[in-house]
Amino acid sequence: MLARILKENGVSCDEINFDKGARTALAFVTLKADGDREFSFYRNPSADMLLTPDELNLELIKSAKAFHYGSISLIVEPCRSAHLKAMEVAKDAGALLSYDPNLRLPLWPSEKEAREQIMSIWEKADVIKVSDVELQFLTESDKIDDESAMSLWHPNLKLLLVTLGEKGCRYYTNNLHGSVDAFHVKTVDATGAGDSFVGALLCKIVDDQSILEDEGRLKEVLRFACACGAITTTKKGAIPALPTESEALSLLNSNKKNKITLVLFIFPFLFVVLLLLFKFWFCPFSKDQHNSSEGQHDTTLFKGVLTNISE
């Protein structure tokens, strides 16, 4: 079923391995009122847990421009060894290594084990994305700030991202750091939003990593990624909720138009205030004349400005 769904969405499935004795893991997602989720899993064991290094298609991995991975495959052997081998081959072949820990504590024996194993491959990645919750977990702190984020930086890292849900994301490179606002949408189900964000990011930088050194271009790419993540939260499910590029661009353009409308709405009122301030401070007639006719001139000026605006 999953292979069929992937094919229907344009994903090549030629190199998927099927285990004759184990089934695909199941994830049960419970939605909260705010669209956030709780996860429970069925793996007894599942096929992914049984993947061995010998089963890897190394030529396929060598041909990849980017290699993206999480931490769940680090939990047990033999899939842990398969994961490490795939990373090594991809790195040696020049692929961009992208890491999203995707913390799922119910699958780990303990929080300590999860933290240690997640960090065991930290310095291999070129790009790392963590959520605010994962940042707190990995740093063992309740703070979500630049200092906490930079404690996760390593010398070979090209881009560190901290996603903040409805508050957008923060980005860090060797020379840059800043934030990008989120898009305000009606959240139904946040499942897949992080994956959508990272997928959108990777598709934009994989062929042009110079984007990571140009803050203007980087912020544009991250706005696009935030738009994809936001759209994903407006529908139930993960794969069915993933947006097309045209849907993401439509949200970006709509947001720009709203900002322009807001500026045009505010400007006339600022104009009125500036004119009134100019009258009070630079009016050429005397203080007595000013006091005696203050109400009349104020009213006349205000009405005149409003008339001009309305016209």
Side-chain angles (χ1 to χ4, degrees), residues 5 18 24-25 27 63 79 115 124 135 155 193 196 208 211 231 243 271 274:
I5 292 173
F18 292 89
T24 302
S63 69
C79 66
R115 192 176 291 108
K124 302 291 186 181
L135 174 63
S196 180
D208 187 4
I211 290 173
I231 293 171
F271 183 62
L274 289 173

Side-chain angles (χ1 to χ4, degrees), residues 203-311:
C203 80
K204 293 295 185 181
I205 69 172
V206 69
D207 289 320
D208 187 4
Q209 294 184 34
S210 67
I211 290 173
L212 303 179
E213 301 169 5
D214 183 331
E215 189 160 23
R217 295 165 68 202
L218 176 58
K219 292 188 81 165
E220 283 299 315
V221 166
L222 291 174
R223 287 189 189 97
F224 176 77
C226 283
C228 289
I231 293 171
T232 304
T233 70
T234 62
K235 305 173 186 176
K236 287 187 177 182
I239 294 176
L242 295 175
T244 62
E245 183 174 17
S246 61
E247 288 174 328
L249 292 176
S250 177
L251 179 59
L252 281 167
N253 292 332
S254 174
N255 188 254
K256 288 179 181 178
K257 289 178 181 178
N258 289 339
K259 287 182 178 179
I260 292 173
T261 301
L262 182 61
V263 169
L264 292 176
F265 178 77
I266 292 175
F267 178 75
F269 295 96
L270 292 177
F271 183 62
V272 170
V273 172
L274 289 173
L275 282 177
L276 290 174
L277 287 174
F278 181 83
K279 173 189 179 298
F280 282 124
W281 290 103
F282 299 105
C283 189
F285 50 79
S286 68
K287 183 176 179 181
D288 292 339
Q289 290 174 317
H290 176 80
N291 291 337
S292 63
S293 57
E294 183 175 15
Q296 180 181 351
H297 282 285
D298 285 354
T299 304
T300 303
L301 177 62
F302 193 71
K303 286 182 178 178
V305 171
L306 289 180
T307 301
N308 290 335
I309 291 172
S310 65
E311 291 174 353

Side-chain angles (χ1 to χ4, degrees), residues 150 171-178 211-216 218:
M150 287 305 294
Y171 60 87
Y172 306 86
T173 72
N174 275 317
N175 303 309
L176 307 170
H177 74 274
I211 290 173
L212 303 179
E213 301 169 5
D214 183 331
E215 189 160 23
L218 176 58

Side-chain angles (χ1 to χ4, degrees), residues 20-300:
K20 295 181 180 179
R23 299 185 181 276
T24 302
L26 296 176
F28 298 92
V29 185
T30 303
L31 294 180
K32 299 179 182 179
D34 61 357
D36 203 357
R37 307 134 301 152
E38 290 182 348
F39 292 88
S40 56
F41 301 89
Y42 178 76
R43 308 165 87 206
N44 193 34
S46 54
D48 61 296
M49 299 168 69
L50 304 176
L51 181 68
T52 68
D54 292 338
E55 293 176 306
L56 296 173
N57 184 331
L58 299 184
E59 292 306 311
L60 178 66
I61 295 173
K62 289 177 183 178
S63 69
K65 294 179 180 179
F67 186 76
H68 180 68
Y69 49 90
S71 66
I72 292 175
S73 50
L74 299 174
I75 297 175
V76 297
E77 292 288 0
C79 66
R80 173 178 164 78
S81 293
H83 180 141
L84 297 177
K85 178 66 175 178
M87 280 179 52
E88 178 187 358
V89 172
K91 188 75 171 179
D92 290 345
L96 181 74
L97 265 58
S98 170
Y99 187 18
D100 176 0
N102 200 25
L103 179 66
R104 298 291 180 260
L105 276 177
L107 294 175
W108 290 91
S110 67
E111 289 190 7
K112 181 176 181 293
E113 177 74 5
R115 192 176 291 108
E116 289 178 355
Q117 292 299 332
I118 288 171
M119 296 304 297
S120 70
I121 59 171
W122 198 259
E123 295 191 2
K124 302 291 186 181
D126 300 305
V127 176
I128 296 177
K129 192 280 291 184
V130 294
S131 68
D132 47 3
V133 173
E134 289 164 344
L135 174 63
Q136 291 175 312
F137 175 78
L138 293 173
T139 59
E140 299 184 74
S141 167
D142 59 355
K143 294 182 179 179
I144 303 172
D145 54 21
D146 291 344
E147 184 178 355
S148 295
M150 287 305 294
S151 70
L152 297 178
W153 184 264
H154 69 75
N156 299 318
L157 194 56
K158 297 178 179 179
L159 176 65
L160 173 64
L161 295 163
V162 180
T163 53
L164 306 169
E166 62 182 13
K167 296 180 181 178
C169 72
R170 294 195 63 80
Y171 60 87
Y172 306 86
T173 72
N174 275 317
N175 303 309
L176 307 170
H177 74 274
S179 62
V180 172
D181 292 334
F183 292 84
H184 296 291
V185 295
K186 184 177 180 181
T187 298
V188 175
D189 180 0
T191 306
D195 298 322
S196 180
F197 175 91
V198 174
L201 168 73
L202 291 178
C203 80
K204 293 295 185 181
I205 69 172
V206 69
D207 289 320
D208 187 4
Q209 294 184 34
S210 67
I211 290 173
L212 303 179
E213 301 169 5
D214 183 331
E215 189 160 23
R217 295 165 68 202
L218 176 58
K219 292 188 81 165
E220 283 299 315
V221 166
L222 291 174
R223 287 189 189 97
F224 176 77
C226 283
C228 289
I231 293 171
T232 304
T233 70
T234 62
K235 305 173 186 176
K236 287 187 177 182
I239 294 176
L242 295 175
T244 62
E245 183 174 17
S246 61
E247 288 174 328
L249 292 176
S250 177
L251 179 59
L252 281 167
N253 292 332
S254 174
N255 188 254
K256 288 179 181 178
K257 289 178 181 178
N258 289 339
K259 287 182 178 179
I260 292 173
T261 301
L262 182 61
V263 169
L264 292 176
F265 178 77
I266 292 175
F267 178 75
F269 295 96
L270 292 177
F271 183 62
V272 170
V273 172
L274 289 173
L275 282 177
L276 290 174
L277 287 174
F278 181 83
K279 173 189 179 298
F280 282 124
W281 290 103
F282 299 105
C283 189
F285 50 79
S286 68
K287 183 176 179 181
D288 292 339
Q289 290 174 317
H290 176 80
N291 291 337
S292 63
S293 57
E294 183 175 15
Q296 180 181 351
H297 282 285
D298 285 354
T299 304
T300 303

